[in-house]
Amino acid sequence: MLKDGFGRTLDYLRVSVTAACDLACAYCRAPGVAPVPADPAGEMTDDELVFLVSCFTGLGVTRVRLTGGEPLRRPGLAGLVDRLARLPRLEDLALSTNGLGLAPAARALRRAGLSRVNVSLDSLREERFREITGRDGPGAVLAGLEAALSAGLDPVKVNCVVARGVNDDEIAAFAELPSRLRVHVRFIELMPQGGTRRFAPERMVPFAEMLERAAPLEPLPRPAWPRGGGPARYYMKPGAVGSVGFIAPLTARFCAECNRLRLTAAGRLVTCLDGADEADLRSLAAGRDVDRVFGAIRTAVAAKPRRHFMIERAAGRPAAGAPCGAERPMWTTGG
Ligand code: SAM
């Protein structure tokens, strides 16, 4: 079992399978940064990735989420899912995607062993979707959701990052989605990461306000919460088939319960979204030396920061003793 210096158990790994993305979301990329082209040489091969994930499962990680960049941009993703799903101690294999390419891929991914999927969607309006992402799309993403549901991926969650003056007027419309689709919509507070380091504090809509604007909602009893190891709290509209959740990394910081680690597409281990430290595991994967990889993982985990300092940093007042913040945007860390 992996324990950090504060007694937290780390059993959840998010793996970026590529930093390439077909969207350029304004809050993820710094202004003017184009979607990165795939750089296969700079990213882990399937063999390296499966080997490193097997080291993590060997140390007690039971849940893995594939993310990016946009994971559906990685050639042969279903083959990779098939290999990962066979790892003996892996109990849950999930995917985070922008959903654009999900409709044609959902069935093959399910067959390969994917359990569930999170789809990011920040606007249901055509023109606004294009403004935020640089691409056409809510129709294709909604088709992806339907395909995921009919392929048997379960649960299917929709992640919506809310930004004031950008899409906060759609909270009520998003909260209605689970009334007709068996999906779990989660509203996420905008974090000062990537393209939003400076404007996040003003644009961030706090959990309490999102909850009010999504009303009427009833708290959902914990046993009825959709499967997943994350920090969301769930509610439900009367008569709905899915739920509405909230993720509040800033106003209800959940660092004390943090159970996650991140592996970038380049094979670097990141123990905190806000931490600057990275451990190069890819270079160790070449020799297939399990003990050295175990050692590097344990050393990095022991130094996992106690908490993030995003709020202080975004406000320009780093707290005393705060470690250096990461300049890494979400698309490189694996959001
Ligand atoms: N392409 C995949 C997707 O769209 O889900 C995976 C990568 S994307 C970086 C993962 C998630 O990070 C998305 O839901 C995105 O909205 C979220 N994200 C990116 N930047 C963010 C920020 N500054 N604050 C909150 N969430 C952010």
Side-chain angles (χ1 to χ4, degrees):
M1 193 186 285
L2 278 173
K3 287 240 185 227
D4 70 8
F6 302 96
R8 294 172 296 195
T9 301
L10 289 314
D11 60 1
Y12 177 32
L13 177 69
R14 297 172 75 98
V15 185
S16 171
V17 298
T18 179
C21 188
D22 37 10
L23 299 185
C25 299
Y27 59 83
C28 189
R29 279 169 205 285
V33 178
V36 275
D39 171 15
E43 302 194 332
M44 290 180 287
T45 63
D46 282 9
D47 285 348
E48 288 167 339
L49 198 152
V50 173
F51 169 70
L52 288 178
V53 174
S54 75
C55 292
F56 281 95
T57 55
L59 286 172
V61 165
T62 54
R63 281 173 301 149
V64 170
R65 170 172 299 279
L66 305 181
T67 177
E70 172 45 45
L72 292 175
R73 290 289 303 262
R74 184 176 172 114
L77 183 68
L80 181 61
V81 166
D82 181 69
R83 290 179 65 183
L84 292 171
R86 290 170 200 272
L87 292 176
R89 284 173 289 265
L90 188 64
E91 294 167 9
D92 183 30
L93 183 57
L95 176 77
S96 281
T97 171
N98 62 34
L100 282 180
L102 187 56
R107 208 158 282 280
L109 290 170
R110 176 74 192 110
R111 259 201 308 268
L114 190 75
S115 327
R116 57 202 182 88
V117 69
N118 288 4
V119 176
S120 303
L121 180 61
D122 302 324
S123 179
L124 297 164
R125 301 184 195 167
E126 187 64 60
E127 200 169 315
R128 182 174 289 167
F129 184 97
R130 201 175 311 117
E131 273 163 28
I132 297 173
T133 68
R135 284 273 305 264
D136 292 342
V141 180
L142 292 169
L145 287 178
E146 304 260 11
L149 288 168
S150 65
L153 290 163
D154 184 30
V156 174
K157 297 176 184 167
V158 178
N159 287 342
C160 176
V161 176
V162 179
R164 196 179 300 286
V166 176
N167 63 348
D168 57 325
D169 56 348
E170 291 190 64
I171 292 176
F174 269 100
E176 283 300 336
L177 266 187
S179 299
R180 54 189 168 86
L181 275 182
R182 201 168 31 82
V183 297
H184 307 277
V185 170
R186 289 119 51 89
F187 295 107
I188 303 175
E189 288 176 350
L190 180 67
M191 291 185 280
Q193 295 276 316
T196 57
R197 275 181 87 78
R198 278 185 309 279
F199 70 72
E202 297 86 58
R203 295 239 186 248
M204 192 270 287
V205 181
F207 156 60
E209 181 183 336
M210 297 196 282
L211 179 62
E212 205 171 293
R213 294 174 69 175
L217 286 173
E218 297 288 328
L220 199 60
R222 221 167 243 270
W225 287 13
R227 187 159 53 96
R233 311 162 187 192
Y234 288 94
Y235 297 76
M236 198 168 171
K237 289 228 175 233
V241 283
S243 66
V244 176
F246 297 87
I247 302 180
L250 301 182
T251 64
R253 206 170 4 93
F254 33 78
C255 301
E257 288 88 47
C258 186
N259 59 354
R260 56 186 64 185
L261 298 168
R262 291 180 156 86
L263 189 60
T264 71
R268 301 178 75 82
L269 175 60
V270 173
T271 59
C272 174
L273 255 190
D274 188 41
D277 290 349
E278 297 180 2
D280 177 13
L281 299 186
R282 188 183 185 198
S283 62
L284 303 179
R288 297 290 182 276
D289 185 338
V290 176
D291 289 335
R292 283 188 69 197
V293 178
F294 277 9
I297 295 174
R298 285 199 179 104
T299 303
V301 162
K304 179 176 164 80
R306 183 170 61 85
R307 53 164 284 204
H308 71 68
F309 287 88
M310 288 186 210
I311 307 168
E312 291 89 342
R313 252 191 272 284
R317 47 177 174 83
C324 288
E327 293 297 329
R328 239 180 285 107
M330 291 286 258
W331 58 271
T332 56
T333 318

